[in-house]
Amino acid sequence: MKPSTIFRRIDPIPAELLASPLAASIPSAELRSIARRGTTVSLAAGREITREAEIGRECVIVVTGSFAVERDGVEVAVIKPGAVVGEIALLTNQPRNATVTAREDSLVYAFNRAEFFSLLDACPKLATMIYSEAVQRSLAG
C-alpha cells in the first residue's frame, strides 16, 4: 500500500520574478514553472543576447533590466521586464529577425528549445501570451 502524502512541497517563487510584470499576468504555478525550467542568467550592459540573421537556439524571459532591439543597425524598440525575447526564431525555425542588446545590467530566465516547448506545454496562460505577442511582432515586421 502506497503511503498517502499529507504535505507537498511548493517551491518558492524567486522575488525578482514575483516583482516582474509577469506576476500580474500569469498564475503562480506558471511562475514556478518558469523558475524551475529556466536558467537564471545575469547579463552586463552591452551584452548581445541575439544577433540578427543568426540561428536561434534559445529564448529568454526578461525579469529585470531593459534591452535595445535593432534591425539593420537601427534601434526599433526597447524591451522591458515581462517580455520574451527570441521566441519567434524557435517557433518558426527561422533566423533571428533582430539584434537584442542589454541596455543595463539585467536578469533573464533562459530556455533552450526543449525547455521552451516544455514551458509552453506546462503554462497555457503564458503560452497564449507568447503566441499572441509573437504574431503581433511578426506582422509588424
Side-chain angles (χ1 to χ4, degrees):
M1 179 189 249
K2 186 176 177 180
S4 65
T5 303
I6 297 173
F7 301 103
R8 129 181 109 105
R9 180 175 174 229
I10 297 178
D11 295 326
I13 300 168
E16 297 88 356
L17 192 53
L18 270 177
S20 82
L22 279 178
S25 304
I26 63 173
S28 297
E30 293 190 18
L31 293 172
R32 283 187 193 86
S33 286
I34 290 169
R36 264 195 319 272
R37 287 176 167 81
T39 301
T40 307
V41 181
S42 294
L43 300 166
R47 172 92 186 270
E48 278 185 2
I49 58 171
T50 71
R51 184 170 291 189
E52 190 171 8
E54 288 189 352
I55 300 298
R57 292 180 174 79
E58 65 283 316
C59 73
V60 302
I61 294 176
V62 179
V63 180
T64 65
S66 64
F67 294 81
V69 180
E70 294 181 356
R71 287 196 183 102
D72 298 320
V74 176
E75 186 172 310
V76 296
V78 174
I79 295 173
K80 297 188 177 192
V84 180
V85 177
E87 79 288 1
I88 294 173
L90 296 181
L91 292 169
T92 65
N93 283 322
Q94 298 293 316
R96 301 280 191 199
N97 60 21
T99 298
V100 178
T101 307
R103 296 176 89 188
E104 59 190 291
D105 292 348
S106 303
L107 178 71
V108 301
Y109 280 95
F111 303 88
N112 65 31
R113 184 178 299 275
E115 292 164 340
F116 175 66
F117 285 106
S118 170
L119 186 67
L120 294 179
D121 287 342
C123 302
K125 186 107 173 161
L126 179 65
T128 299
M129 183 186 86
I130 288 172
Y131 287 129
S132 175
E133 289 180 15
V135 167
Q136 287 176 12
R137 275 193 258 144
S138 292
L139 294 175

